[in-house]
Amino acid sequence: MSYHLIIGDKLYSSWSLRGALALELAGVPYEETLIKLNQADTRTRILAFSASGKVPLLKTEHGVIADSLAIGEYLAERHPHAQLWPADIAARAQARSACAQMHSGFFALRGAMPFDLSRDQALENVPLDVQVDIDRIVALWSECRLAAKDSGPFLFGKPSLADAFFAPVAVRLRTYRVEVPAEAASYIETIYQWPAFQAWQQAGLAEREG
């Protein structure tokens, strides 16, 4: 089997990061095509791969999979040995719930704190709805840790799709210098020490320098 991941700028595309981390968790080789976003030909180039017009996209032997959550679920099904979801049923249910909440919510935080790996500056004022999102994320991370059956510093002990989905949030909280409780700060550091994330971060910062 072969995989081809189509992504946006590593510096700015949080959804693409999720797809790439899912592939890294699966431990499978893949080809990568980066399409720069917000260019005159961006949509045309993406449409050459999929009618969705969005990234990430994963080309597989079963067709093109659009959307990071669908990509994660496909890889989890195709590579069960990699345990992209926690092995315990209850923990797995909570991991899926957390990813779904991230996937479909937290719009205030997304809008006020765009993903940018190179940023290092706090917001002058944090709107109330953004703070509500931040507080919910911190609480959600704690809920994940309580549901975890495996030991380790990630949300469910071992790295999982939950971490792939919350890595971009960890980036936002650090790059916008958001003060969070010690447990949440420790988790953010775990993401920043994750080799799979570090490789993406280095490549993203290199885009800016290039």
mmCIF file of all heavy atoms in Angstrom, residues 31 35 67 75 86 100 139 147 152 160 174 207:
data_model
loop_
_atom_site.group_PDB
_atom_site.id
_atom_site.type_symbol
_atom_site.label_atom_id
_atom_site.label_comp_id
_atom_site.label_asym_id
_atom_site.label_seq_id
_atom_site.Cartn_x
_atom_site.Cartn_y
_atom_site.Cartn_z
ATOM 1 N N GLU A 31 4.331 9.698 0.763
ATOM 2 C CA GLU A 31 4.794 10.821 -0.055
ATOM 3 C C GLU A 31 4.044 12.067 0.393
ATOM 4 O O GLU A 31 2.906 11.989 0.852
ATOM 5 C CB GLU A 31 4.500 10.537 -1.529
ATOM 6 C CG GLU A 31 4.886 11.653 -2.490
ATOM 7 C CD GLU A 31 4.441 11.357 -3.907
ATOM 8 O OE1 GLU A 31 3.922 10.249 -4.156
ATOM 9 O OE2 GLU A 31 4.586 12.255 -4.757
ATOM 10 N N ILE A 35 1.088 22.343 -0.764
ATOM 11 C CA ILE A 35 0.490 23.381 -1.593
ATOM 12 C C ILE A 35 0.380 24.653 -0.763
ATOM 13 O O ILE A 35 -0.304 24.663 0.268
ATOM 14 C CB ILE A 35 -0.901 22.959 -2.106
ATOM 15 C CG1 ILE A 35 -0.781 21.723 -2.991
ATOM 16 C CG2 ILE A 35 -1.577 24.105 -2.853
ATOM 17 C CD1 ILE A 35 -2.118 21.154 -3.437
ATOM 18 N N ASP A 67 -10.338 15.366 4.938
ATOM 19 C CA ASP A 67 -10.633 15.705 6.327
ATOM 20 C C ASP A 67 -9.734 14.916 7.283
ATOM 21 O O ASP A 67 -9.594 13.689 7.181
ATOM 22 C CB ASP A 67 -12.107 15.452 6.670
ATOM 23 C CG ASP A 67 -12.460 15.967 8.050
ATOM 24 O OD1 ASP A 67 -12.213 15.254 9.031
ATOM 25 O OD2 ASP A 67 -12.950 17.096 8.136
ATOM 26 N N LEU A 75 -6.697 5.413 8.945
ATOM 27 C CA LEU A 75 -5.401 4.839 9.306
ATOM 28 C C LEU A 75 -5.512 3.922 10.519
ATOM 29 O O LEU A 75 -4.842 2.887 10.594
ATOM 30 C CB LEU A 75 -4.399 5.965 9.585
ATOM 31 C CG LEU A 75 -3.984 6.788 8.365
ATOM 32 C CD1 LEU A 75 -3.169 8.004 8.791
ATOM 33 C CD2 LEU A 75 -3.189 5.933 7.379
ATOM 34 N N PRO A 86 -6.602 4.535 21.955
ATOM 35 C CA PRO A 86 -6.282 3.733 23.142
ATOM 36 C C PRO A 86 -6.908 2.341 23.058
ATOM 37 O O PRO A 86 -8.003 2.170 22.502
ATOM 38 C CB PRO A 86 -6.892 4.545 24.294
ATOM 39 C CG PRO A 86 -6.934 5.957 23.788
ATOM 40 C CD PRO A 86 -7.216 5.837 22.315
ATOM 41 N N ALA A 100 -13.606 14.664 18.537
ATOM 42 C CA ALA A 100 -14.799 15.190 17.889
ATOM 43 C C ALA A 100 -15.111 16.595 18.392
ATOM 44 O O ALA A 100 -15.494 17.478 17.613
ATOM 45 C CB ALA A 100 -15.982 14.262 18.134
ATOM 46 N N ALA A 139 -9.833 21.736 30.832
ATOM 47 C CA ALA A 139 -10.660 20.750 31.535
ATOM 48 C C ALA A 139 -10.751 19.444 30.742
ATOM 49 O O ALA A 139 -10.702 18.346 31.319
ATOM 50 C CB ALA A 139 -12.056 21.323 31.773
ATOM 51 N N ALA A 147 -9.245 9.431 32.248
ATOM 52 C CA ALA A 147 -9.749 8.251 31.541
ATOM 53 C C ALA A 147 -8.635 7.332 31.060
ATOM 54 O O ALA A 147 -8.891 6.188 30.687
ATOM 55 C CB ALA A 147 -10.599 8.682 30.343
ATOM 56 N N GLY A 152 2.188 7.471 31.049
ATOM 57 C CA GLY A 152 2.919 8.268 30.071
ATOM 58 C C GLY A 152 2.416 9.695 30.079
ATOM 59 O O GLY A 152 1.360 9.997 30.644
ATOM 60 N N SER A 160 -1.466 9.180 20.787
ATOM 61 C CA SER A 160 -2.645 8.695 20.081
ATOM 62 C C SER A 160 -3.185 9.791 19.174
ATOM 63 O O SER A 160 -2.650 10.907 19.127
ATOM 64 C CB SER A 160 -3.732 8.279 21.073
ATOM 65 O OG SER A 160 -4.325 9.422 21.677
ATOM 66 N N ARG A 174 0.907 28.001 23.531
ATOM 67 C CA ARG A 174 2.290 28.422 23.792
ATOM 68 C C ARG A 174 2.656 29.675 22.992
ATOM 69 O O ARG A 174 3.248 30.608 23.542
ATOM 70 C CB ARG A 174 3.270 27.301 23.458
ATOM 71 C CG ARG A 174 4.729 27.746 23.561
ATOM 72 C CD ARG A 174 5.702 26.601 23.657
ATOM 73 N NE ARG A 174 5.593 25.914 24.940
ATOM 74 C CZ ARG A 174 6.487 25.002 25.370
ATOM 75 N NH1 ARG A 174 7.532 24.675 24.615
ATOM 76 N NH2 ARG A 174 6.333 24.418 26.530
ATOM 77 N N GLU A 207 10.190 27.151 6.399
ATOM 78 C CA GLU A 207 9.397 27.801 5.345
ATOM 79 C C GLU A 207 9.485 29.318 5.477
ATOM 80 O O GLU A 207 9.626 30.025 4.486
ATOM 81 C CB GLU A 207 7.939 27.374 5.456
ATOM 82 C CG GLU A 207 7.649 25.949 5.068
ATOM 83 C CD GLU A 207 6.200 25.562 5.311
ATOM 84 O OE1 GLU A 207 5.416 26.449 5.741
ATOM 85 O OE2 GLU A 207 5.845 24.406 5.096
#
